[in-house]
Amino acid sequence: MFLIDRSKEPDEGGRKFRRFRGGIPFWLQALAIILATLLLAGLHFGDIQKVGRIAAVLDSSASVTASRDDLLTALDEKLRRLSRGVQTTEFTVLDSFPGARPIYHGTELIELAAALEDWQPTRNGHDPNEALNVARSLIGDKGLLIFATDHKPESETEALPLGVNLLAVGKPRDNVGFLGIDVRPDETGTPAWAVVVRNYSDVEARRSWQIEVDGTRVGEERAVTIPPDGAVTLRGGFPDGETPAITLVLEPDEFPVDDRLPIVRPVTKEILVSANIPRDSRHFPIVDRLVKSLPDLRPVITGETDVGMFIYWPLEPREIGGAAVVFLEQGQRGKLLTGGIVVANHPLMEGLTWQSLIVPDGLKMPVYPTDTVLAWAGEKPLILLRESGAWPQLLFNFDLSLSNADKLPAFAILCHRFLSRIRDAKVFPESRNIELAQRFKIAYDTNGPAPILQREGQPPEAFIGLSPNETGFFTVKQGDTTLLHGAAHFGDPREADLRECETEDTVPNTIPSVIEEARRDSPWWRAFLIIALIAVALAWHFQARSSRRQGDQDAPDFLEA
């Protein structure tokens, strides 16, 4: 064995048992083995205590707003009752919205209550299963999982997973609120708004409403009567015709989320189009009708443009730069192409029908390997998307004036989709009315600072492509440049209908199934490990020194010179 030095005495028979002779190396190595065994065996030197693990997932759907205070009170009472008789209870509280930040994790109910003060259920309807799965993974199979909401699951598809306890605190309520909004020019070209007021009750409702500008009520207070389970449309304009934003305020009720409707005067990004097509060209009337039929296009003759319309003559080839829609002109009519039209699987062509397209054969544009062919007729590419440069180009590789393409809805829709891509990529201020927590895109300079979202009365936050969760005005900025003026409003009728809310409690009063014995690690385990390593090092040192000394004694004598 490595603990005991092998005896150097020869075995000459006789007594088989010898007295054990210990030494410093032996006792040091024995100490190291004992300490290592204790550490590897998981032996702890702390107190044994009972720990319970509880996770609560809070339904952040907007309907819970009406029952929020009652729900949090019931949850607090339930957690206090469950934690009785347990030395330590670990609480985990999550928001049900996918990707939301955790609300709390710890062992103190006072800290948990403080963390819930800022929690507001303002989301649209969503599936809580992702948050429930995360909570289960955090507390393990023996943990107690609670889903706190204001109603029972209405169908089998909404049924909670096995092992989830329901804490529903709600009651049926009548509600009247704003539902939808539309802003567009009236007969005189002045922007006008139209909003829907919905009655979520079985009786007739009468509510007063008024316009608010910059926090001040303007105009007379008016009243609206809504039939049972019905809706009424309100119409009006912006005060003075120049006010960029207003808020419609409805008489408040128990569900305040839909009692205020902020509205901004929409400002869209115009696409400046230069039609570089001679008036005597056969393509001029076709392109002119196209430009006039598509929204938010403004023809320009000089100055900067966003996209150009060009004619391409194969006999006089030239490079066309910038964003463009290019039409081939071949002069004489050739024979018609035969064979079916094959359409590529591409977002620009989704849902478009080109089978009735009639095109003549003839001259062609040069096609590069980097071009994306959107449609073929036999072996001839008819429509191409060129994205090899800084700006995209849509190429029609046939003479539009000698075909029936301008009679097909697919032609106008394709051009509209292409121009919409250019509009989306244009960095220019705009104004929009957007629903709460709605995903949207906005163009910005990729070489500049990251865009930020600024809500009224709130600190700036990183823009992640979502509108705010609370009703109100907001802006998106990049540095000192304002990219968007927005108004976030509520618009989910399922969450506004509170007639199905009810109370149900399936949470047990005790948690015997989640109590477990947990041993607290000794803070001295690092010291034990260091002592074991030092003991091994000293044992090797003493054993090596003893071996060298024994070697010197056993060395043979040499003749002296």
Side-chain angles (χ1 to χ4, degrees), residues 170-359:
K171 64 178 181 180
R173 291 178 169 90
D174 294 340
N175 177 44
V176 175
F178 296 113
L179 180 58
I181 177 176
D182 183 34
V183 182
R184 62 181 62 191
D186 58 13
E187 297 81 1
T188 63
T190 303
W193 50 263
V195 301
V196 175
V197 181
R198 180 82 159 82
N199 180 12
Y200 303 93
S201 70
D202 299 326
V203 296
E204 184 179 83
R206 181 179 175 85
R207 293 289 189 275
S208 61
W209 66 278
Q210 201 169 7
I211 297 177
E212 183 179 281
V213 178
D214 295 330
T216 303
R217 303 288 177 92
V218 298
E220 297 180 356
E221 186 176 86
R222 302 173 229 184
V224 58
T225 302
I226 311 101
D229 201 23
V232 172
T233 301
L234 304 179
R235 303 179 186 275
F238 293 84
D240 303 328
E242 299 293 335
T243 305
I246 63 173
T247 300
L248 300 185
V249 183
L250 195 65
E251 182 180 337
D253 52 27
E254 294 183 277
F255 187 68
V257 179
D258 59 357
D259 293 339
R260 296 178 64 87
L261 181 63
I263 307 174
V264 294
R265 184 198 301 264
V267 176
T268 59
K269 292 184 288 188
E270 285 187 327
I271 299 299
L272 306 181
V273 181
S274 63
N276 301 284
I277 299 176
R279 286 187 170 271
D280 58 353
S281 171
R282 297 192 305 265
H283 285 84
F284 181 83
I286 298 175
V287 174
D288 185 60
R289 288 196 304 270
L290 176 67
V291 171
K292 292 179 179 179
S293 65
L294 298 180
D296 301 322
L297 295 184
R298 182 156 64 90
V300 295
I301 300 176
T302 60
E304 295 185 359
T305 61
D306 299 314
V307 63
M309 304 280 186
F310 296 92
I311 293 295
Y312 182 86
W313 288 278
L315 299 181
E316 299 178 6
R318 63 190 178 102
E319 291 292 332
I320 297 176
V325 179
V326 184
F327 305 98
L328 179 128
E329 185 166 311
Q330 67 182 35
Q332 297 181 351
R333 181 186 299 272
K335 64 178 182 179
L336 299 179
L337 287 173
T338 58
I341 306 296
V342 179
V343 178
N345 183 15
H346 192 276
L348 289 177
M349 305 294 282
E350 184 177 359
L352 302 185
T353 301
W354 297 86
Q355 297 305 318
S356 58
L357 178 64
I358 301 174
V359 295

Side-chain angles (χ1 to χ4, degrees), residues 324-325 348 385 392-394 414-422:
V325 179
L348 289 177
L385 178 63
Q393 296 181 348
L394 183 63
L414 173 60
C415 293
H416 175 65
R417 289 177 178 176
F418 176 75
L419 294 173
S420 295
R421 283 191 169 193
I422 297 175

Side-chain angles (χ1 to χ4, degrees), residues 113-130:
L116 290 176
E117 290 181 358
D118 296 331
W119 175 74
Q120 296 294 335
T122 57
R123 309 280 189 174
N124 290 333
H126 56 273
D127 187 357
N129 282 329
E130 180 178 332

Side-chain angles (χ1 to χ4, degrees), residues 52 54 88-93 104-109 111-112:
I54 303 175
T88 302
T89 305
E90 296 178 359
F91 302 104
T92 300
V93 182
Y104 179 76
H105 177 73
T107 59
E108 299 296 332
L109 282 171
E111 296 177 358
L112 190 155

Side-chain angles (χ1 to χ4, degrees), residues 48-187:
I48 295 178
Q49 58 180 343
K50 293 181 178 180
V51 175
R53 293 191 178 94
I54 303 175
V57 175
L58 305 185
D59 186 1
S60 60
S61 301
S63 65
V64 183
T65 300
S67 306
R68 174 187 177 275
D69 295 340
D70 295 337
L71 179 63
L72 295 184
T73 300
L75 179 64
D76 180 74
E77 294 176 354
K78 183 67 66 174
L79 295 180
R80 291 184 184 277
R81 186 181 299 112
L82 290 171
S83 60
R84 292 172 186 169
V86 183
Q87 289 175 288
T88 302
T89 305
E90 296 178 359
F91 302 104
T92 300
V93 182
L94 303 179
D95 190 297
S96 65
F97 191 75
R101 295 180 178 179
I103 299 174
Y104 179 76
H105 177 73
T107 59
E108 299 296 332
L109 282 171
I110 296 178
E111 296 177 358
L112 190 155
L116 290 176
E117 290 181 358
D118 296 331
W119 175 74
Q120 296 294 335
T122 57
R123 309 280 189 174
N124 290 333
H126 56 273
D127 187 357
N129 282 329
E130 180 178 332
L132 292 172
N133 293 335
V134 172
R136 174 59 68 189
S137 66
L138 292 175
I139 63 175
D141 295 335
K142 295 183 179 180
L144 180 66
L145 181 54
I146 302 172
F147 180 57
T149 182
D150 65 342
H151 64 279
K152 295 191 299 184
E154 298 178 0
S155 62
E156 294 183 0
T157 57
E158 297 181 358
L160 297 177
L162 186 65
V164 179
N165 300 278
L166 177 66
L167 178 62
V169 180
K171 64 178 181 180
R173 291 178 169 90
D174 294 340
N175 177 44
V176 175
F178 296 113
L179 180 58
I181 177 176
D182 183 34
V183 182
R184 62 181 62 191
D186 58 13
E187 297 81 1

